[in-house]
Amino acid sequence: MSHLPPPAEPGDGTRAVHAGLPAPRPGRPALPGPVFAAHYHLPGDPAEATYGYGRNANPTWTALETALAGLESPGREAHAVVFASGMAATSAVLFTQLRAGDTAVLPTDGYHGTSGLIPRLEAFGVRVTTVPTGGPRQYAALDGARLMWTESPSNPGLDVCDLAALAEAAHARDALLAVDNTLATPLGQRPLDLGADFSMASGTKGLSGHGDLLLGYVVTRDAAAAEALRGWRAAIGAIPGPMETWLAHRSLATLQLRVDRQASNALAVATALRERPEVTGLRHPGLPDDPAHALAARQMRRYGCVVSFTLADRDTAERFLAGLRIVDNATSFGGVRSTAERRARWGGDDVPEGFIRLSVGVEDAADLIADLTGALDAAAG
C-alpha cells in the first residue's frame, strides 16, 4: 500500500498549461494543430457523428472549450461554447435566454458594445432596464427581471459588485445572472463558483493576450443552456475560425505568467500615478484605498491589468497620449503590450473627456512608470 500523500490540487499555472490537452500519445503533439475542414466524412446517420459540418462543430473548438470549462469551473462539470467574438458570445446569452415580454437588466457603466444591444433587444419585445454596477439599485432592479447582465470589475470604470450576493438575490426571484468576466479572466475570478449562471468573456483580451485575434466564449453548468448557445451559434454563423481558436488555446500556456505580471505591473503603475497631483479619479481594484478593494479582495484572486484615471481635459489627455513612447495609443486591453486611450473618443461611455483607460502589459514596471510620468510632464508643459 502506498503511503504517499494524495496529489495536491494543481495550481493556476499548471492548470493553464495543461488545460484541454489530450492524453499523451507517442509521436503525437501535445497540442494538436488546428483542424481546417468545412465538412467531414459522414456515412450513415448524421446523428451518430461528432463532426459532420464545419458550422456546427470542429475538433479545435472542442479542445479549447474543454480547456475553458476546466479553468472557469475546476472540479465541477461545466460546458463552454466558443464564438467568433466577445459580442457574439454576449448576444448568444441574451437572445437565447430572453423572450418577448421578459425584462433584462444591463449595466449603465459597462462595455458600450453591450449597451448597443439594447435597441435590438427592445425590437424583439424585451424590456431593458439599466443600473450602475454595485449598490442597492442592482438588487432592486431584479424584481420582475428574467436576466441580469453585469461586469465586475466594470469596463472602463472598474467598479465591483458582490457576485455571490447578487446571484443569491437573482435566484430568489427566479432570475438568471450572467457575468462578463473579461477583465478578471478565469485566473482572477470564477463567477460560476460565486453562483452566476453564465460566465462570458472576450477571448480577444487577456485570455489570448497578444492582440492578434478575435474570440469570445460562454461557460455554464446548465447543459440545456449550453445546447441552446450552440444552436444559436450554428444558426447565425457566429463561429470562430480554427486558427484563431488554436492560437487562443496555445496562449493559455502563458496565461498565469501574463496575468501575474500584468497585475503586479498595474499595481506598481497605479501606486506611482497616485503621487501625481494632475491625476484624479484614479481606480484600480488592487489599490488598498480603492473603493472596490475590500469587495474585490473577497472574490478575486488577481486584480487585473486595467488602471483608469482622469486628466484635466481633452487636450491634456491627448498631449499625454502623444508623449508616450512605450505605451501604445490603442483600444482594447489585456495584451502583453501596454496600451492607453482617451476613452471618451468613442462615445457611449459616461466618462469625462480627459478619462484615460490604461491597460498595463508585461514590460518592465520601471520603464512603464518612467514612460507614463514623462508623458505627464510633457502634457503639463
Side-chain angles (χ1 to χ4, degrees), residues 236-310:
I236 67 168
I239 59 172
M243 190 65 188
E244 288 84 357
T245 309
W246 182 83
L247 284 171
H249 195 171
R250 184 201 63 172
S251 297
L252 292 182
T254 60
L255 178 60
Q256 183 258 336
L257 300 175
R258 289 185 282 108
V259 297
D260 277 357
R261 174 73 169 217
Q262 289 166 324
S264 64
N265 277 355
L267 183 57
V269 163
T271 301
L273 290 174
R274 189 167 50 184
E275 304 304 315
R276 300 290 303 213
E278 69 269 51
V279 169
T280 62
L282 179 68
R283 296 296 305 272
H284 178 64
L287 286 171
D289 57 351
D290 187 272
H293 178 73
L295 177 54
R298 295 206 304 268
Q299 66 185 22
M300 299 182 72
R301 293 173 297 131
R302 294 169 175 86
Y303 297 116
C305 65
V306 176
V307 177
S308 67
F309 57 93
T310 301

Side-chain angles (χ1 to χ4, degrees), residues 80-98:
V81 185
V82 293
F83 291 87
S85 67
M87 283 307 303
T90 299
S91 301
V93 174
L94 295 175
F95 283 98
T96 60
Q97 299 305 308
L98 296 167

Side-chain angles (χ1 to χ4, degrees), residues 36-376:
F36 298 102
H39 60 269
Y40 306 82
H41 292 296
L42 194 63
D45 184 357
E48 297 177 358
T50 303
Y51 304 103
Y53 187 64
R55 184 161 45 82
N56 298 319
N58 180 294
T60 312
W61 302 353
T62 302
L64 178 58
E65 289 171 343
T66 300
L68 294 172
L71 292 176
E72 290 272 358
S73 182
R76 291 189 60 182
E77 183 179 7
H79 313 273
V81 185
V82 293
F83 291 87
S85 67
M87 283 307 303
T90 299
S91 301
V93 174
L94 295 175
F95 283 98
T96 60
Q97 299 305 308
L98 296 167
R99 301 290 182 270
D102 286 345
T103 295
V105 183
L106 271 61
T108 57
D109 53 350
Y111 176 51
H112 64 78
T114 305
S115 300
L117 292 174
I118 292 177
R120 292 166 172 79
L121 289 167
E122 292 175 336
F124 281 90
V126 176
R127 179 175 178 266
V128 179
T129 61
T130 59
V131 293
T133 301
R137 289 180 59 189
Q138 274 194 306
Y139 297 90
L142 284 167
D143 291 334
R146 163 64 181 161
L147 181 146
M148 171 172 281
W149 184 277
T150 191
E151 298 176 12
S152 187
S154 62
N155 171 30
L158 302 180
D159 284 310
V160 171
C161 54
D162 189 331
L163 295 179
L166 206 55
E168 183 178 1
H171 297 158
R173 295 164 174 81
D174 294 323
L176 300 170
L177 178 66
V179 177
D180 185 333
N181 201 39
T182 301
L183 198 149
T185 81
L187 297 193
Q189 179 173 266
R190 295 200 288 257
L192 299 184
D193 284 353
L194 296 168
D197 300 283
F198 299 93
S199 179
M200 166 272 163
S202 169
T204 308
K205 311 295 195 300
L207 187 89
S208 56
H210 291 77
D212 54 7
L213 62 87
L214 296 178
L215 194 87
Y217 72 86
V218 182
V219 182
T220 179
R221 290 175 178 156
D222 186 328
E227 191 59 33
L229 292 169
R230 294 187 192 99
W232 175 267
R233 177 180 66 185
I236 67 168
I239 59 172
M243 190 65 188
E244 288 84 357
T245 309
W246 182 83
L247 284 171
H249 195 171
R250 184 201 63 172
S251 297
L252 292 182
T254 60
L255 178 60
Q256 183 258 336
L257 300 175
R258 289 185 282 108
V259 297
D260 277 357
R261 174 73 169 217
Q262 289 166 324
S264 64
N265 277 355
L267 183 57
V269 163
T271 301
L273 290 174
R274 189 167 50 184
E275 304 304 315
R276 300 290 303 213
E278 69 269 51
V279 169
T280 62
L282 179 68
R283 296 296 305 272
H284 178 64
L287 286 171
D289 57 351
D290 187 272
H293 178 73
L295 177 54
R298 295 206 304 268
Q299 66 185 22
M300 299 182 72
R301 293 173 297 131
R302 294 169 175 86
Y303 297 116
C305 65
V306 176
V307 177
S308 67
F309 57 93
T310 301
L311 299 177
D313 51 34
R314 174 177 179 159
D315 290 342
T316 303
E318 292 291 356
R319 290 196 302 271
F320 163 73
L321 293 169
L324 294 168
R325 296 294 177 263
I326 295 175
V327 179
D328 291 336
N329 187 346
T331 193
S332 199
F333 60 86
V336 292
R337 290 172 291 278
S338 297
T339 61
E341 68 170 338
R342 192 179 64 82
R343 192 64 187 163
R345 65 178 175 165
W346 296 102
D349 290 320
D350 185 17
V351 295
E353 287 294 328
F355 181 93
I356 300 293
R357 185 183 71 179
L358 169 65
S359 172
V360 182
V362 302
E363 301 94 342
D364 288 294
D367 293 333
L368 290 173
I369 292 169
D371 192 35
L372 293 164
T373 55
L376 287 170

Side-chain angles (χ1 to χ4, degrees), residues 2-44:
S2 173
H3 296 285
L4 294 174
E9 186 72 14
D12 284 343
T14 302
R15 198 189 307 278
V17 166
H18 292 275
L21 299 183
R25 293 176 58 187
R28 302 297 296 272
L31 175 63
V35 175
F36 298 102
H39 60 269
Y40 306 82
H41 292 296
L42 194 63

